[in-house]
Amino acid sequence: MDIMRILEGTREKELIDSLGGIYSDIEARQGEWKDSASFSCLDGCGDCCSHFEPDLLECEALYLAAWILENDFPLAQRLMDGSHVSLNNGDGCILFNPDSPYHCTVYGGRCLICRLFGYSGELDKDGRRRWRPCRFYPSDKLIPFEHRTYGEDELSALSSVPIPVMSHFMERALSLSPDSAGDTESLRDAVVKALKRLMFIACIKGFDGDNDNGGGGNDNPTPLSA
């Protein structure tokens, strides 16, 4: 389903494209920091996602919904008709698969906090960067880092690239929908509403869902146009 073409000229596409730009910036900034600091998460971990369900802004829900429509139309249908079965017994994110080595079934469409966690810092009361490694990271794999908070001076000594600041990206996302005042909903509610909203627009524009082969999963995910 070419959802971005269908949405051409709509506010929804503007929000999705704008958030896509923020996501691209996050990936680039984090990539530079990870390379400089020689730090990355362990393959197949997923502990930070267990028992956790994010709350989504309007733009996040639309981006995720568009990604699902683009890459896994059968999943979109199950979510909209209520037949989707959570693989983690409903404990946390309904799109998390504990039995998969990749865990997130919508990785390309994942929301802000899922992209920012682990590789983003925060500002202290003086406006200086600080960062604490994920508490799930095994201590024996964390070297040269430790499970403690690192201040800006220490981070500068460990990496020539400043660590991205989570709030900077959150503020940019919040600015996309200033009228909503940062209103959020749980992923399980927000993504269904967003899917139905995008499908309503698609149907108005003549999309026939019965003729869409969709895709059985996200083995070869198609990125959104942003």
Side-chain angles (χ1 to χ4, degrees), residues 92-170:
C93 180
I94 61 171
L95 301 175
F96 179 79
N97 182 355
D99 299 322
S100 165
Y102 304 105
H103 300 304
C104 181
T105 60
V106 292
Y107 190 77
R110 69 196 186 283
C111 64
L112 268 169
I113 188 60
C114 300
R115 294 169 188 267
L116 291 169
F117 185 79
Y119 302 126
S120 298
E122 60 181 1
L123 299 178
D124 64 19
K125 62 181 181 180
D126 297 317
R128 292 168 59 83
R129 285 175 167 83
R130 63 184 181 186
W131 172 73
R132 186 179 183 88
C134 173
R135 64 188 178 92
F136 297 108
Y137 211 107
S139 297
D140 60 337
K141 303 289 185 181
L142 196 56
I143 300 171
F145 296 99
E146 301 173 350
H147 280 295
R148 63 179 179 84
T149 299
Y150 286 80
E152 188 165 276
D153 292 340
E154 289 181 295
L155 290 172
S156 297
L158 290 165
S159 170
S160 60
V161 177
I163 190 168
V165 177
M166 187 177 296
S167 61
H168 291 169
F169 295 108
M170 295 299 296

Side-chain angles (χ1 to χ4, degrees), residues 145-208:
F145 296 99
E146 301 173 350
H147 280 295
R148 63 179 179 84
T149 299
Y150 286 80
E152 188 165 276
D153 292 340
E154 289 181 295
L155 290 172
S156 297
L158 290 165
S159 170
S160 60
V161 177
I163 190 168
V165 177
M166 187 177 296
S167 61
H168 291 169
F169 295 108
M170 295 299 296
E171 288 168 3
R172 288 173 61 186
L174 284 167
S175 72
L176 299 182
S177 301
D179 295 336
S180 67
D183 293 341
T184 61
E185 286 188 283
S186 66
L187 181 147
R188 67 185 66 212
D189 294 328
V191 72
V192 172
K193 290 181 180 179
L195 283 166
K196 292 180 177 179
R197 178 173 165 183
L198 296 186
M199 283 301 299
F200 177 75
I201 295 171
C203 290
I204 288 177
K205 292 196 171 190
F207 172 74
D208 182 359

Side-chain angles (χ1 to χ4, degrees), residues 2-22:
D2 192 354
I3 186 62
M4 298 305 285
R5 179 185 60 79
I6 293 172
L7 294 175
E8 193 66 48
T10 65
R11 175 178 176 271
E12 285 75 11
K13 184 176 186 299
E14 291 180 4
L15 286 173
I16 293 167
D17 281 345
S18 296
L19 184 61
I22 296 173

